[in-house]
Amino acid sequence: MPHPELIVFTDLDGTLLDHDSYSPAAAAPALARLRAAGVPLVLASSKTAAEIAPLRDALGFADVPAIVENGAGLLEPGESATAGGRYEALRAALDTLPADLRAGFAGFGDWGPDGIAEHTGLSPEEAARAARRQFSEPGLWTGGAAEKARFLDALAARGITAREGGRFLTLSFGGTKAARMEEILARYGHPFSVALGDAPNDVEMLERADLGIVVANPRRAPLPPLGGEEEGRIRRTTLAGPAGWNEAILQVMVERSR
Ligand SMILES: [Mg+2]
């Protein structure tokens, strides 16, 4: 791995990708600057390797690892998808739960591509890529609150953690965006790190970075004040999504070149 002076970690939906169009077009100038300067851009998302690989190629960062399935796995440089993973083991563990608890949870593996498309609004092709899971199972709890506590306890006893995201309850054998970030920072020799995100599941990453940038997302409640924000270690964009991303990264590039 090269040892750059700067590395950028970014969430995708609502951050580098427009909330509605899923396009990074408004960030094109900043993306070009990063590529020209040899700054690695690490994509970090709840998406699967199968979903992230084509985007990483299109953005021109195929030589940089990506954080997939919310930190439950890594997509290594040059790979178009990763082999293996523990998804089958995760699904098998779910099926060992008492029937009443198992019945309260329905995940992507229960829905299949058609059901995933219905629950997420993804196109059939996108839903098929989202179904190619390796490390984690997003889904919905439809049972009662008391049963949910028992469900979470039973999962914990099987080594499974559950995280509430924007839309889904996601089960995995562990791993977070921030822990993967540590791993990648070590590979690159701990350069100055910038992280961008828009949602609660990005907070750890934003707070871990040397500079965290909260990208405005008018579609959700603003994040509460974060650790380091008063000292200026966290900034907020005024423009939303990729337009805010673009402005913030161009400013960082100017500051870092002084
Ligand atoms: Mg997001």
Side-chain angles (χ1 to χ4, degrees):
M1 285 277 168
H3 281 200
E5 288 177 14
L6 174 66
I7 187 168
V8 178
F9 294 80
T10 186
D11 170 56
L12 294 176
D13 291 349
T15 300
L16 177 58
L17 304 182
D18 180 82
H19 183 90
D20 297 311
S21 69
Y22 292 105
S23 168
L31 287 164
R33 282 293 305 279
L34 293 182
R35 280 190 301 265
V39 175
L41 176 65
V42 179
L43 307 181
S45 166
S46 59
K47 292 178 188 295
T48 63
E51 293 173 284
I52 291 182
L55 177 67
R56 188 178 65 170
D57 285 353
L59 293 173
F61 292 94
D63 57 338
V64 180
I67 298 171
V68 305
E69 299 192 37
N70 260 329
L74 277 187
L75 175 65
E76 294 294 345
E79 286 181 341
S80 58
T82 62
R86 299 186 68 192
Y87 184 67
E88 299 307 325
L90 185 60
R91 292 283 309 173
L94 260 183
D95 290 335
T96 66
L97 295 174
D100 63 320
L101 297 183
R102 179 66 186 86
F105 179 83
F108 279 27
D110 300 300
W111 296 335
D114 290 347
I116 294 170
E118 236 167 76
H119 281 91
T120 60
L122 293 174
S123 72
E125 298 73 36
E126 291 164 339
R129 283 196 287 270
R132 288 175 54 189
R133 313 204 64 78
Q134 297 177 287
F135 308 103
S136 67
E137 178 70 336
L140 294 173
W141 176 258
T142 54
E147 290 76 28
K148 184 177 182 181
R150 284 176 49 225
F151 174 68
L152 297 179
D153 284 346
L155 290 176
R158 289 161 176 77
I160 298 169
T161 56
R163 298 196 124 207
E164 300 276 2
R167 202 183 323 220
F168 298 116
L169 180 68
T170 298
L171 317 183
S172 78
F173 287 111
T176 62
K177 282 182 175 180
R180 295 298 180 181
M181 186 178 169
E182 266 332 315
E183 201 177 319
I184 293 170
L185 282 171
R187 289 189 194 185
Y188 282 99
H190 292 280
F192 185 89
S193 58
V194 177
L196 303 98
D198 71 315
N201 67 352
D202 299 317
V203 166
E204 286 173 277
M205 196 169 77
L206 293 168
E207 290 184 336
R208 169 60 187 83
D210 295 309
L211 175 63
I213 296 168
V214 179
V215 174
N217 183 344
R219 298 303 192 90
R220 62 164 70 240
L223 291 176
L226 303 182
E229 190 157 357
E230 289 209 354
E231 302 86 68
R233 218 156 37 70
I234 303 263
R235 298 177 185 171
R236 293 182 188 244
T237 71
T238 44
L239 296 175
W245 200 100
N246 186 60
E247 192 179 55
I249 288 295
L250 289 177
Q251 190 185 338
V252 168
M253 294 299 279
V254 169
E255 290 168 3
R256 299 300 300 174
S257 66
R258 270 179 203 147

